[in-house]
Amino acid sequence: LTQSYFNELASQYPGGITVILSGGTKYEMGVINLSASTKIVTGLSLAGNAIVEVNGNFAIAAGTSVDSLVFENIVFTEHSGSPKTAANFGGRYLFNFNQAGAKASKLTIRNCDIRYKRGNIRAQVATEISTVTIENCLFDSIGGYGIVNADHAEAYFDNVVVKNSTIAHAEKIFVASKPTRTTVSLTVENVTVCYAPKGEGNYIIDYNGQTVPGGVTLKNCVFGIGWGSKIRGMRASNAVPTIDKSYRASDLEWTTNDQGVQQSPLSDLENLNATTTAIFQDPDKVNFKVTNATLAGKIGDPRWW
């Protein structure tokens, strides 16, 4: 999958393109800057999803506005040129918006398996995305730029929705501590999180300075232990999260100060009084099949019910 290939398609079909990948086939990709609405999907196949070995990232071409970017039924994994054993899991992203002035109404990632990335979605320069939607996805081994990271004063992910997904071994998760325009809303529903974030200074939700007028909602979620450390819950300007039927393992511990006071906990998460390994079948191997009757068929990513 090359830049010249996508340039040619956008030139012929500026109104939008759909690229259908062959199931079970391995593809390679470097840096690809998209200049038209684009959908990339695995076609109907008995061979499973297409596998894309990432040695770069997707982005939107500088100064370009597109309606939508959609990625469905794809496994995004390491590339031999940037292996998972290298620093930052190879140092690559699925999306790294590093072309200034890029805009999109919708960015959707659906039914994808995304592993060994420095970050999933990062906005490194001025970028505007109205709605980011992540559905039925599994993330594992994600570095310091996390799942969705607005990493510039003029990087705006207005509405972020994550549903029916799993996040494991992620150094950070949701970050929007630099933008000067507030995030509008964050909705996280039926999501399983474990071994994330990493480090006592990191938050599940880091919206420092954001008012989030549309609210932060956690619904039917379950949180296992942090990644090798205590963790923090959420920080924002004055936003208070709405937590509905969401739980945590007993071994998830909140960072404390020198006086033993918890720092930014998500206090409304119900303690299951069971450890991560008692809740899930084999979390170390990214198997979060629910073994706790309180959760089965009700809470977290439905793929594990």
Side-chain angles (χ1 to χ4, degrees):
L1 302 176
T2 64
Q3 181 70 67
S4 60
Y5 175 67
F6 282 92
N7 287 348
E8 182 179 351
L9 289 175
S11 176
Q12 294 184 57
Y13 308 103
I17 60 177
T18 297
V19 176
I20 300 176
L21 306 181
S22 179
T25 299
K26 289 186 178 181
Y27 296 80
E28 294 182 82
M29 62 162 280
V31 174
I32 296 175
N33 295 317
L34 301 168
S35 55
S37 290
T38 301
K39 181 176 183 179
I40 304 177
V41 59
T42 299
L44 295 176
S45 172
L46 297 177
N49 288 340
I51 300 166
V52 177
E53 298 176 349
V54 179
N55 198 27
N57 58 259
F58 288 104
I60 298 173
T64 300
S65 296
V66 302
D67 178 63
S68 66
L69 302 175
V70 180
F71 294 75
E72 288 186 0
N73 305 328
I74 301 169
V75 175
F76 292 99
T77 189
E78 64 178 324
H79 185 280
S80 59
S82 48
K84 63 184 179 182
T85 53
N88 300 306
F89 301 110
R92 304 303 183 183
Y93 304 83
L94 183 55
F95 287 93
N96 184 21
F97 294 103
N98 55 10
Q99 305 294 304
K103 297 181 181 181
S105 295
K106 300 179 288 292
L107 168 57
T108 302
I109 307 172
R110 184 180 293 120
N111 301 329
C112 289
D113 187 313
I114 300 159
R115 302 180 190 239
Y116 318 123
K117 300 288 173 281
R118 191 181 188 192
N120 176 52
I121 301 173
R122 177 191 182 190
Q124 194 174 359
V125 297
T127 306
E128 295 184 41
I129 310 292
S130 296
T131 302
V132 174
T133 302
I134 296 171
E135 295 180 322
N136 303 320
C137 290
L138 187 150
F139 299 91
D140 179 56
S141 302
I142 307 296
Y145 287 95
I147 306 305
V148 182
N149 194 320
D151 190 33
H152 186 272
E154 297 178 69
Y156 309 127
F157 298 127
D158 290 332
N159 299 284
V160 177
V161 179
V162 182
K163 293 185 177 181
N164 302 334
S165 295
T166 295
I167 299 168
H169 301 105
E171 293 186 22
K172 295 188 179 183
I173 306 179
F174 305 112
V175 181
S177 57
K178 293 184 179 180
T180 54
R181 187 175 86 196
T182 189
T183 301
V184 176
S185 67
L186 171 66
T187 302
V188 184
E189 183 174 348
N190 283 107
V191 172
T192 295
V193 179
C194 194
Y195 305 121
K198 184 178 184 180
E200 293 197 8
N202 282 327
Y203 299 77
I204 294 170
I205 302 166
D206 188 357
Y207 278 9
N208 191 30
Q210 304 283 296
T211 59
V212 200
V216 173
T217 302
L218 303 178
K219 183 177 181 180
N220 299 341
C221 294
V222 58
F223 295 83
I225 192 171
W227 193 1
S229 65
K230 298 179 180 180
I231 62 173
R232 302 185 186 217
M234 172 177 158
R235 66 173 174 176
S237 179
N238 60 3
V240 177
T242 298
I243 298 179
D244 181 15
K245 299 182 183 68
S246 292
Y247 301 81
R248 68 175 179 87
S250 60
D251 51 355
L252 186 163
E253 297 184 78
W254 304 114
T255 300
T256 56
N257 63 16
D258 292 340
Q259 289 73 45
V261 178
Q262 294 179 342
Q263 303 294 286
S264 305
L266 291 174
S267 301
D268 290 339
L269 291 178
E270 185 174 337
N271 190 340
L272 289 164
N273 296 312
T275 65
T276 297
T277 53
I279 294 168
F280 304 121
Q281 184 166 305
D282 197 351
D284 287 341
K285 295 183 180 178
V286 198
N287 179 350
F288 298 104
K289 182 175 175 59
V290 172
T291 56
N292 185 298
T294 303
L295 305 180
K298 303 173 185 177
I299 306 298
D301 186 343
R303 82 186 67 219
W304 307 113
W305 295 354

